[in-house]
Amino acid sequence: MNNLKSKKIDHDPAVKSIINKLKDIDNDILSMISQNRQVHAVNYALDLLKQFRIRLPKSPNVISLHFELIKIKRLIKKNRINDLLRLPEINNEKILAAAHIISKCLSAAYSSVPELLPYLSFKQVDLSIRYGLAPFSAYSFATCGLVLCSMGDIKTGIIYSNLALKLQRRLKAIEYTAHTLFTAYYFSLHWKYHVKKALKPLLHVIKVGMKTNSMNFSAYAANTFTVYTFLSGINLRKADSIASSSINFINKGKMGKGLNHYNLITKQAIANLINPVEQYDSLKGQFYDEDIMIPIHKGYNDLPPLYFIYFNKFFLSYLFGDCDIARKHIQSSELYIKGIMSTFHYPIHFFYSALVYTGLFMRSRKKERSSFLKRIKKALRLFEEWSRFCPDNYINKYVLLKAEYAKICGDAQSAMNYYQQSVKLSKKNGFIQETAISCELAGKFYSGIGQEIIARCFIKKCHLYYEKWGALNKIQRLSEEYSYLTPPIIREKSKLIWFWRKMVKKKNPLRIKESILKRQVNQLEEDKYPHTTRLSDQEKRVVDLLKKGMLYKEIAYDLNVSLNTIRTYVKRIHKKMGVKTTEEIIKLSEIKVNNIINSSLN
């Protein structure tokens, strides 16, 4: 590393000019960040650092990064934690100026050039240990903790995040308070404590950022607060209200539109779960338009929003049962995954992507299966480690992945045990949406092995948990997808209530009274299949799946029977119903709910 105490630097007029203009430089960097020009902010800072003889690699690679990591670990080992807290304060203005510039571009480097972040972070820590503590030191150790967690050394990363918080209390550096608190809480806290425990500290960061004029970190904390409420299983209506409040807070503070993307993306994803939409995975609506924003984010190389767009797309696709489309969105999101290193989104990505691959496994080719299996096993290894650090966040996810893995390996007994455990643990840890997913996957598993009574119980619980979460669109999809496991009266009642809510949302002049709806629901106690009274339960399921446009091969997979068995079922249905084609079967078995809805409008 370069010696900043060189006499050449002391007499360099360019260095003196930079020191005299530090406030203007701060404003320039912050302005670029608020305008979503993070790459420009980093390049501007790097050009200034060259005047201090600090040169960073233009094209970082794994070997050089590993070398830097070894050097910084050796330097850290020479000093115990208590010794670091007792370091003297620095009094050299050129070292302070260089480190100050590094601290101002760290957030921009994380978003747009994550490969440079370890070098910048390690350089700051090196300056603190070699020359003494400064106002930026707590922030530098918090960022170092972030980098170490992202590189897999979670234990050491948490230690240095805690050290950063202690240093912050000792140094009382008001200017860097929001920086330090946000970095420690956002990137390290979830590895040790439940994600909901980060909500209060994030509110504190918002207040501190406003008081200390660190507006960009107040905005980051507001965005994170919104995302955490969404991912932690809080009711979607409440999460939507929080997103609106965060958007208004950032707009009123005039912090820049570039700092509101997480809020807007989350709000649009919530809208897709609550309100009727044509395409579930499309983030194009009242609050966000992916067609407009994706090219803009790519132009600025803004990785976190790009990742978050594709994460929500594959999350919604999986939730609504389209694993093929979800897989495409996973591949797109992985191009930008460096923009979320050490955040709570990182393990969440591996969790839902592994669920997608387990969903695709049984109907994929042999070549694809080996690739899927590697990804699933990798997720299991990671969650086994993460659940040791924070079982409150990760143990329920790990157990559900084990259940899915046991299912694809044909170990039915283990799968049963793991599904039951995952439901209990998800409920205990407060992740309502993951409790619902566990119940849904368990119901599908038990249905596949012919345990229909148990499957019905799990699907009913699944319906209740999605309702508690507030995902009305998913409830409607659930009634359609698992119609053979849901009693007709409950299924059709769900559809009528959904129709009523849709009319109210659109402020339709036609008033559908609740009493009329109840009378119509009572009529649904008649058999759903007026023309198919002689059909067996399994044959009725085949009819339901044919109505969805599924192929014989797909029906065989869903019902866990052979293709020849499905062909036999179809022949029997033809004879019993007196028809010759599948189209005639669908016409005769149509549900009466459409007639009821039409009659309620008259």
Side-chain angles (χ1 to χ4, degrees):
M1 292 190 179
N2 303 293
N3 187 2
L4 292 182
K5 291 190 174 181
S6 166
K7 290 182 179 180
K8 290 182 180 180
I9 297 178
D10 288 333
H11 300 289
D12 191 336
V15 171
K16 289 183 179 179
S17 175
I18 290 170
I19 293 171
N20 294 330
K21 295 179 180 179
L22 267 182
K23 287 187 178 179
D24 294 333
I25 290 168
D26 286 355
N27 292 332
D28 290 341
I29 292 174
L30 290 174
S31 176
M32 291 177 191
I33 292 171
S34 65
Q35 294 169 16
N36 222 25
R37 297 167 59 205
Q38 283 90 341
V39 176
H40 294 80
V42 173
N43 290 334
Y44 177 55
L46 292 179
D47 290 338
L48 294 172
L49 290 172
K50 286 178 184 177
Q51 303 297 328
F52 293 89
R53 310 296 191 269
I54 296 176
R55 299 184 184 277
L56 298 171
K58 292 182 179 180
S59 55
N61 55 59
V62 177
I63 296 172
S64 63
L65 178 58
H66 186 66
F67 182 66
E68 289 293 327
L69 181 62
I70 291 171
K71 286 201 295 184
I72 200 68
K73 281 192 172 183
R74 283 179 180 173
L75 186 63
I76 288 169
K77 280 183 179 179
K78 291 178 183 178
N79 300 272
R80 295 179 180 178
I81 297 296
N82 292 331
D83 294 336
L84 293 172
L85 288 168
R86 294 169 189 161
L87 287 171
E89 292 189 15
I90 196 171
N91 57 8
N92 187 302
E93 64 176 1
K94 66 178 180 295
I95 296 172
L96 281 169
H100 182 84
I101 293 167
I102 292 173
S103 67
K104 292 298 176 184
C105 71
L106 284 175
S107 63
Y110 178 86
S111 298
S112 58
V113 199
E115 299 87 0
L116 277 176
L117 184 66
Y119 297 91
L120 292 167
S121 170
F122 293 159
K123 182 63 181 176
Q124 263 200 326
V125 171
D126 177 71
L127 292 175
S128 294
I129 294 174
R130 287 180 186 275
Y131 302 114
L133 298 177
F136 63 80
S137 295
Y139 182 36
S140 66
F141 278 103
T143 310
C144 184
L146 179 168
V147 173
L148 290 169
C149 286
S150 69
M151 297 175 76
D153 192 354
I154 295 173
K155 186 177 179 180
T156 310
I158 291 171
I159 289 170
Y160 279 90
S161 294
N162 290 330
L163 171 63
L165 295 173
K166 290 178 182 178
L167 276 175
Q168 184 62 41
R169 286 193 289 271
R170 181 201 153 179
L171 297 170
K172 297 179 181 178
I174 296 172
E175 183 183 358
Y176 291 96
T177 303
H179 302 57
T180 305
L181 295 179
F182 175 76
T183 306
Y185 293 147
Y186 181 39
F187 297 101
S188 303
L189 198 66
H190 67 92
W191 295 117
K192 191 174 181 182
Y193 302 105
H194 195 287
V195 67
K196 287 181 181 177
K197 289 187 178 179
L199 296 178
K200 283 187 179 180
L202 286 170
L203 288 175
H204 178 60
V205 172
I206 293 170
K207 292 176 183 177
V208 170
M210 294 295 290
K211 288 180 182 178
T212 59
N213 203 31
S214 301
M215 299 297 188
N216 55 331
F217 278 89
S218 285
Y220 296 154
N223 278 276
T224 305
F225 192 88
T226 299
V227 175
Y228 274 11
T229 55
F230 178 54
L231 294 178
S232 61
I234 291 173
N235 181 270
L236 291 175
R237 292 288 182 190
K238 187 176 180 180
D240 183 62
S241 176
I242 289 169
S244 299
S245 300
S246 295
I247 291 166
N248 293 334
F249 165 74
I250 292 171
N251 289 339
K252 285 180 181 178
K254 297 180 181 179
M255 300 174 192
K257 293 181 180 179
L259 299 175
N260 232 338
H261 295 306
Y262 278 91
N263 286 324
L264 294 169
I265 294 166
T266 303
K267 194 166 175 64
Q268 188 59 54
I270 292 170
N272 286 14
L273 285 165
I274 294 175
N275 303 320
V277 288
E278 292 181 5
Q279 194 173 347
Y280 297 114
D281 67 320
S282 174
L283 296 175
K284 187 175 181 181
Q286 182 182 353
F287 309 107
Y288 199 79
D289 191 336
E290 63 179 68
D291 293 342
I292 295 172
M293 297 309 301
I294 287 176
I296 293 172
H297 293 313
K298 285 182 177 178
Y300 291 125
N301 198 38
D302 198 3
L303 303 183
L306 284 167
Y307 169 80
F308 204 55
I309 288 168
Y310 288 108
F311 164 77
N312 279 280
K313 287 171 77 66
F314 93 69
F315 171 68
L316 291 168
S317 299
Y318 172 74
L319 210 59
F320 288 103
D322 200 335
C323 289
D324 292 306
I325 292 178
R327 182 189 175 191
K328 292 178 182 178
H329 294 319
I330 288 170
Q331 291 169 347
S332 299
S333 69
E334 286 174 348
L335 298 173
Y336 312 106
I337 200 167
K338 288 181 180 178
I340 58 145
M341 58 183 183
S342 193
T343 66
F344 186 56
H345 311 126
Y346 189 74
I348 292 295
H349 172 90
F350 281 93
F351 174 59
Y352 284 108
S353 60
L355 289 179
V356 170
Y357 293 126
T358 55
L360 291 169
F361 186 84
M362 295 304 292
R363 53 192 179 89
S364 59
R365 298 175 182 176
K366 287 185 179 180
K367 291 181 180 179
E368 290 179 323
R369 283 189 178 188
S370 60
S371 172
F372 293 165
L373 203 57
K374 285 180 183 178
R375 289 173 176 268
I376 295 163
K377 286 181 177 179
K378 181 182 177 180
L380 282 167
R381 286 196 302 272
L382 289 171
F383 273 98
E384 185 178 11
E385 181 184 358
W386 294 334
S387 59
R388 289 173 190 161
F389 288 104
C390 186
D392 289 348
N393 281 333
Y394 305 117
I395 189 67
N396 66 300
K397 299 171 179 63
Y398 174 54
V399 173
L400 181 57
L401 290 180
K402 287 183 79 173
E404 287 288 278
Y405 181 69
K407 182 186 76 174
I408 63 176
C409 291
D411 188 353
Q413 189 60 49
S414 296
M416 289 177 190
N417 294 333
Y418 287 136
Y419 279 125
Q420 290 176 1
Q421 287 179 39
S422 68
V423 172
K424 289 179 182 178
L425 289 168
S426 298
K427 185 180 178 181
K428 179 185 174 184
N429 293 342
F431 294 102
I432 298 172
Q433 78 281 23
E434 289 167 14
T435 311
I437 290 169
S438 298
C439 289
E440 184 180 355
L441 292 173
K444 192 171 182 178
F445 166 76
Y446 278 106
S447 175
I449 62 173
Q451 300 288 335
E452 293 173 11
I453 295 173
I454 301 175
R456 233 179 239 121
C457 292
F458 275 109
I459 294 299
K460 186 179 178 181
K461 284 184 180 180
C462 165
H463 190 283
L464 293 172
Y465 284 118
Y466 276 125
E467 190 173 2
K468 189 176 181 181
W469 190 37
L472 302 181
N473 257 347
K474 175 60 181 177
I475 293 169
Q476 170 64 14
R477 183 62 177 264
L478 205 64
S479 300
E480 295 171 358
E481 189 172 356
Y482 300 103
S483 57
Y484 62 93
L485 290 175
T486 314
I489 183 169
I490 295 174
R491 184 166 60 251
E492 307 303 347
K493 181 179 178 181
S494 171
K495 292 187 178 182
L496 284 172
I497 291 171
W498 175 253
F499 173 76
W500 176 72
R501 283 175 176 164
K502 189 174 179 181
M503 292 297 103
V504 171
K505 179 178 174 56
K506 290 183 177 181
K507 296 181 180 179
N508 197 300
L510 297 170
R511 294 183 178 180
I512 306 174
K513 294 183 179 179
E514 197 170 347
S515 59
I516 296 174
L517 278 174
K518 286 181 180 178
R519 285 200 300 270
Q520 300 292 357
V521 167
N522 290 335
Q523 292 178 16
L524 291 169
E525 291 179 356
E526 298 177 8
D527 192 359
K528 172 186 169 182
Y529 300 95
H531 300 281
T532 61
T533 53
R534 293 178 296 167
L535 293 185
S536 66
D537 290 341
Q538 192 79 331
E539 287 165 350
K540 288 179 182 180
R541 288 182 210 129
V542 172
V543 171
D544 279 329
L545 297 174
L546 285 171
K547 284 171 61 181
K548 294 180 184 179
M550 293 178 70
L551 301 174
Y552 289 180
K553 185 178 179 180
E554 294 172 326
I555 295 171
Y557 171 73
D558 268 25
L559 298 181
N560 199 27
V561 295
S562 68
L563 184 60
N564 288 331
T565 304
I566 296 300
R567 287 175 180 151
T568 304
Y569 282 144
V570 173
K571 287 179 183 178
R572 289 178 184 171
I573 292 166
H574 284 170
K575 287 181 181 180
K576 290 180 181 181
M577 296 180 68
V579 295
K580 294 182 179 180
T581 63
T582 304
E583 288 76 11
E584 289 178 291
I585 293 174
I586 294 169
K587 284 180 182 179
L588 286 175
S589 61
E590 281 183 349
I591 303 173
K592 295 163 66 179
V593 69
N594 293 331
N595 295 331
I596 292 172
I597 290 173
N598 291 333
S599 65
S600 65
L601 291 172
N602 295 330

